[in-house]
Amino acid sequence: MITNRQRALRRLRHNPIAVIGGLMVISVILAAIFAPFVAPFPSHAGAVVDFRHRHAPPDALHWMGTDNVGRDILSRVIFGYRVSLTLVAGVLGVAMPFGVILGMAAGYFRGRTEFIIMRLTDIMLAMPPLVMALAITAILTPDLGNAMIAITALWWTWHCRLIYRVTSAIVTEDFIEAARLSGASHTHILLREILPNCMAAISVKTTLDAGFVILFGATLSFLGLGVQPPTPDLGTMVSTGAQFLPDQWWEAVMPGLGVLYAILGFNLLGDGLRDMLDVEIG
Amino acid sequence: MGSYLLRRAAGFVFVLFGLAVVIFVIARIVPGDPARIALGPLATHEQVLQLRTEMGLDQPAIIQFATYISGVVRGEFGKSLLTNRQVSRDLAEALPATLELVLLTLILMTCVAMPLGMLAARRHNSAIDNISRLVSLLGVVTPGFVVAILLQLLAAETGRFLPITGRLSPDMSFSADITHLLVVDALLRGRLDVAGDAVLHLILPALALSTAGIGQVMRITRSAMLDIARREHVDTLRSFGVPGHVIALKYMLRLASVAPLTILGLEFASLIGNAFVVELVFSWPGIASYGVRAILSKDFNAVMGVVLVSGLFFVVANLLIDMLVGVLDPRLRRRA
């Protein structure tokens, strides 16, 4: 007998790309948590100015070079991951449960509930997300909290639609009918019968989304609508560094590669999980 | 086909109305007075009151909503605080630049990604296949602003053969007044020098904008071709001795293009989003750079106009794609 877990682990071992993705994600998370200990110049996360070392190219001391006021870019990228991961936790921590609950309700209760929730979702999905997030952050003041609100307000729709699809597919199965006939409450059916069947889709979607939330947040701050200086943020660092292209290329390229690394990690891990758990999340 | 189109169009109006409502609600739940925000902290109370009346903010919400909707229907969004002109006029001026960029991007996406996807599927698991998978993965995960910046660096390295800002070199004077698309108008007027210059200006922004989409479309085309290659009618054709490239181009491509086209519709959302980054980086005078300026200066009417126009763009693009898909695969018409 092979348990599901053993089968999953075996697939994971045969999927080195997912393992690499997982390691990349872990390295980003650990670097963010232990930033003050990992970063070579922890104080450079703040408004430090060191004009003697400004615009220094990458070398043994500053692996990613220094920025226009002489701060170590590697240190700022590491602290930047804190902002990115806070954003991910804030957005997905709200949007995911919200979307899952609405999606399950729409797929399970059908009728008017389904109509209202799914039409609302359709409307929300018809808006280009970045444009809407831009409009929302513009109306509010641009900072991390409001960027979080703006992204969350749009993000739940994707989870809602995915879980709606999963739920509608299993709601006609015999085991749901059996639970209903033996007198189980709606809450019981939703949480104990349907939710466990959604977990695979939720975990794959959430992993892939973590990368895209980072991308989204970095794009907002690149446009000047996210985290404000001096807090180190990857998108802001790229846009500041872009002023010094092409001569001081590292100031834009290094933080850019930093974002790329994090997104790639989550994407590889998510793709690996999808193959492993064998779910369709399209 | 008629009733299919009618149903699609009804859904389209519904979605647009919803979009307008959501934008109105967002704009009205703002803490603080839009007139005060627009004028800044130094304006006098009288000035703020006057602007409030001008903007119609002293009316009840329902009246404001009615004025707003009737304006939107006529394509009027009010005056821009930034340019002090009608927002609709600003938008009309900026739209062709964006349209030109987006059209070339779409051409690049389909003409590069679909053949590459087909090639990868035919040489399944070969070196070409693996490279194309790697490229498409990188295309999907690389942020638009990183691509834009890398392309700018590349342009600098190659001695600025490709221009990195604007639509036309400053020493070129040409007014595009037929279709407002520079390349098309220049060709129509027989100005080859202008057309060439405009194309050179388009290349880098369009490349930056198409990277993400190329990756997606390539990936989907590949898996759709592989999926269809396993169908029975393809086996039959093969057993009749029909050459592989004929099967691929004549019989499989039509069915296999449904999936990438659908993805292209969804891709449009991120394409519009990325346009904001790309236009900003390449100083492209389109809707998105107008939008960024409007957003940063809290110009509400302009922001609403830009958001609605981009929403319209997205919805229309998806409607067109749905129609095209319906033509390509008649079964979908009945199901939808």
Side-chain angles (χ1 to χ4, degrees), chain A residues 136-269:
Chain A
I136 298 175
T137 34
I139 292 166
L140 308 166
T141 32
D143 61 28
L144 180 63
N146 286 333
M148 219 181 261
I149 292 173
I151 303 176
T152 311
L154 302 158
W155 215 274
W156 63 269
T157 50
W158 297 98
H159 291 264
C160 180
R161 200 167 67 161
L162 171 67
I163 296 307
Y164 165 73
R165 224 181 277 147
V166 178
T167 308
S168 348
I170 58 171
V171 84
T172 51
E173 300 259 344
D174 288 341
F175 69 96
I176 305 280
E177 197 57 31
R180 195 175 300 149
L181 286 174
S182 54
S185 65
H186 289 319
T187 330
H188 175 91
I189 297 179
L190 282 171
L191 295 183
R192 291 298 175 85
E193 310 290 344
I194 296 181
L195 187 60
N197 284 295
C198 298
M199 287 318 277
I202 293 175
S203 54
V204 172
K205 179 81 182 147
T206 308
T207 312
L208 285 172
D209 272 4
F212 291 118
V213 170
I214 294 177
L215 175 80
F216 216 83
T219 307
L220 275 185
S221 50
F222 176 80
L223 293 171
L225 291 165
V227 182
Q228 300 299 311
T231 312
D233 174 274
L234 300 164
T236 319
M237 289 166 75
V238 177
S239 81
T240 315
Q243 297 161 16
F244 306 102
L245 285 175
D247 296 333
Q248 281 87 28
W249 55 270
W250 58 90
E251 294 179 30
V253 172
M254 290 302 183
L257 292 181
V259 196
L260 181 61
Y261 179 78
I263 303 171
L264 185 63
F266 278 108
N267 223 278
L268 293 177
L269 180 62

Side-chain angles (χ1 to χ4, degrees), chain B residues 30-272:
Chain B
V30 195
D33 181 351
R36 166 60 71 188
I37 295 172
L39 289 172
L42 292 175
T44 64
H45 187 61
E46 282 71 36
Q47 285 173 315
V48 173
L49 279 184
Q50 199 198 335
L51 187 65
R52 279 183 67 84
T53 323
E54 225 171 88
M55 291 167 80
L57 292 170
D58 48 349
Q59 309 276 338
I62 186 79
I63 304 279
Q64 285 187 39
F65 183 69
T67 338
Y68 161 73
I69 287 291
S70 74
V72 167
V73 171
R74 281 178 287 123
E76 295 292 329
F77 304 100
K79 236 178 187 180
S80 156
L81 298 167
L82 187 69
T83 59
N84 208 15
R85 301 190 316 173
Q86 288 295 323
V87 170
S88 47
R89 220 180 115 198
D90 287 342
L91 289 176
E93 253 169 47
L95 190 60
T98 301
L99 219 51
E100 196 164 32
L101 181 59
V102 169
L103 281 176
L104 183 64
T105 304
L106 286 178
I107 293 173
L108 272 180
M109 271 190 196
T110 36
C111 295
V112 173
M114 289 189 55
L116 280 180
M118 288 177 67
L119 192 69
R122 283 208 62 185
R123 306 244 189 288
H124 184 38
N125 282 337
S126 69
I128 294 180
D129 189 23
N130 289 330
I131 290 171
S132 81
R133 271 149 85 183
L134 183 70
V135 169
S136 67
L137 175 69
L138 283 178
V140 173
V141 298
T142 313
F145 56 86
V146 175
V147 178
I149 279 170
L150 289 178
L151 283 176
Q152 288 214 318
L153 264 180
L154 192 73
E157 280 302 308
T158 53
R160 301 209 188 273
F161 169 67
L162 290 170
I164 52 171
T165 53
R167 277 178 96 187
L168 215 53
S169 302
D171 54 335
M172 291 267 177
S173 78
F174 182 76
S175 96
D177 46 10
I178 311 172
T179 60
H180 297 279
L181 302 177
L182 264 178
V183 179
V184 179
D185 283 8
L187 286 178
L188 286 176
R189 291 230 185 274
R191 291 283 304 273
L192 284 180
D193 53 331
V194 175
D197 190 57
V199 169
L200 284 184
H201 278 82
L202 266 167
I203 290 176
L204 287 179
L207 263 183
L209 200 50
S210 56
T211 324
I214 286 181
Q216 284 277 19
V217 173
M218 205 154 92
R219 197 146 78 168
I220 304 292
T221 311
R222 174 183 175 273
S223 57
M225 286 298 275
L226 282 178
D227 181 44
I228 288 167
R230 282 192 286 270
R231 302 271 174 89
E232 282 168 0
H233 72 279
V234 176
D235 275 342
T236 314
L237 289 167
R238 210 168 282 142
S239 62
F240 281 161
V242 180
H245 64 273
V246 176
I247 300 180
L249 291 175
K250 199 169 168 194
Y251 297 95
M252 289 165 64
L253 182 61
R254 175 167 173 165
L255 267 185
S257 50
V258 170
L261 271 177
T262 317
I263 285 294
L264 208 59
L266 293 175
E267 232 356 84
F268 232 84
S270 59
L271 197 138
I272 293 169

